[in-house]
Amino acid sequence: MLFSSTRNLATKVGLSKALSDGIAPDGGLYVPERFPALQVGDFEGVSGLPAIAERFLAPFFSSDPLGPHLADIAADAFNFPAPVKRVLVAGGKLSVLELFHGPTAAFKDFGARFLAACLSRIPRADSRPLTILVATSGDTGGAVAAAFHKRPGVRVVVLYPEGLVSPLQEHQLNCWGDNVSSIAVRGNFDDCQRMVKQAFADRTLAHAMQLSSANSINVGRLLPQAAYYAASSLDLWRAEGACPGYVIPSGNLGNVLACLWARRSGLPVGEVVLAHNANRAVVEFLATGEWQPRPSVATLASAMDVGNPSNMERLRVLHPEWRDLAVQVSAYSVDDDAIRTRIAGDFTVLGETWCPHTATAAEVYARLPADSRRALHWVLVATAHAAKFREIVEPLIGEEVELPPALAGLLALPAHHDTLPAELDALRDYLLALRNP
Ligand SMILES: *Cc1c(COP(=O)(O)O)cnc(C)c1O
């Protein structure tokens, strides 16, 4: 299987190259040149996330040097579960797909671990360590740090905006040590992203070290996410003989693309519904056909505060016609008041504790037409553990949220970070000094 750029479908590269480059040379995003025509029968006798992932991903790995390593990669990357748990509601069948059982308690762990498992198996001509630079607004940096921690031949440098991430997120960025360094930048997230881009374009750095990125647009983050949709939809299909529908908390649209790729590849995925916070660009596009990216607005579901989702390019390659796209998916927007009310209400009525992102999906489910709720078994995609956002959730439910063991373990570790002004010169000196400790 080859991968094309969204901006030029004639560009074709192998999987290893798409993973190592991250972004296509023309600035586009890599997408599979075509999708496999899998059938439920192709998975006969195969169960459990690692095994289903291996079978599902085999066509995407075929002909690539990573192909023979796929079984090891799946075992290495999918070493924590993605359980589907039933939620007892009136008037329909509802389950929740829990994607928060990884080391940093959000679904970003799937993409980051899989990418790390792949990148560490791609032979490199250059014997110098690979330095992975990540700008993060909170969740991604921790997942990448966790995934690459102690992997030989790789160094991770995380940039985050000083004072603008939650205390728990900050600790999760700063507790690794060894081959992971973290920098609090005196600026905002956009400054961090700009510094990373400038570092990639900097000649001195290009000469001195091998830089790579692990940002959310890498196709190596979408493939493992498609695998958990494959596994969960197969499980429900096997149990009930019907395709489940998914309600997906959405920001940059990576999780949505992964679900649509699984469906396009033949997996038993039914309707797909996007749950957005007050950032409404995608909802408006589906309603009007006019694409109007917006500056992002801050909400309680902060990991979804995206006004110009980068994966829109991939969505439009998958469904070039707006009218067709509007049939393939639907989208709703939920404001902060509704998120608060949903967290408090579902805790009282259902005994469920949602993070603010998962709560947008729960709210959207409640807004679906009643006959649509009855028609399918719906799956809410739970993107993070509520404990990660306890300063929001605890006052709403009036109780403490217990930390999952992985997070509690991280919080017990000592933390260290460096601080830099939001300037390329400072970052360049920092990186050059890392090279010569
Ligand atoms: C990143 C993130 C999202 C948004 O996912 P996209 O793939 O960007 O649409 C939702 N919830 C949480 C907790 C996240 O970290």
Side-chain angles (χ1 to χ4, degrees), residues 107-108 139 249-255 303-304 357 383-384:
F107 80 90
K108 304 283 196 311
D139 281 339
S250 297
N252 239 336
L253 301 176
N255 223 348
M304 297 163 23
H357 311 82
T383 49

Side-chain angles (χ1 to χ4, degrees), residues 57 79 107 137 155 158 200 246 272 288 350 356 362 401 403 413:
L57 293 171
N79 69 341
F107 80 90
S137 59
R155 220 163 21 202
V158 179
F200 276 104
Y246 287 86
V272 176
T288 63
L350 304 175
V401 183
L403 285 175
L413 297 172

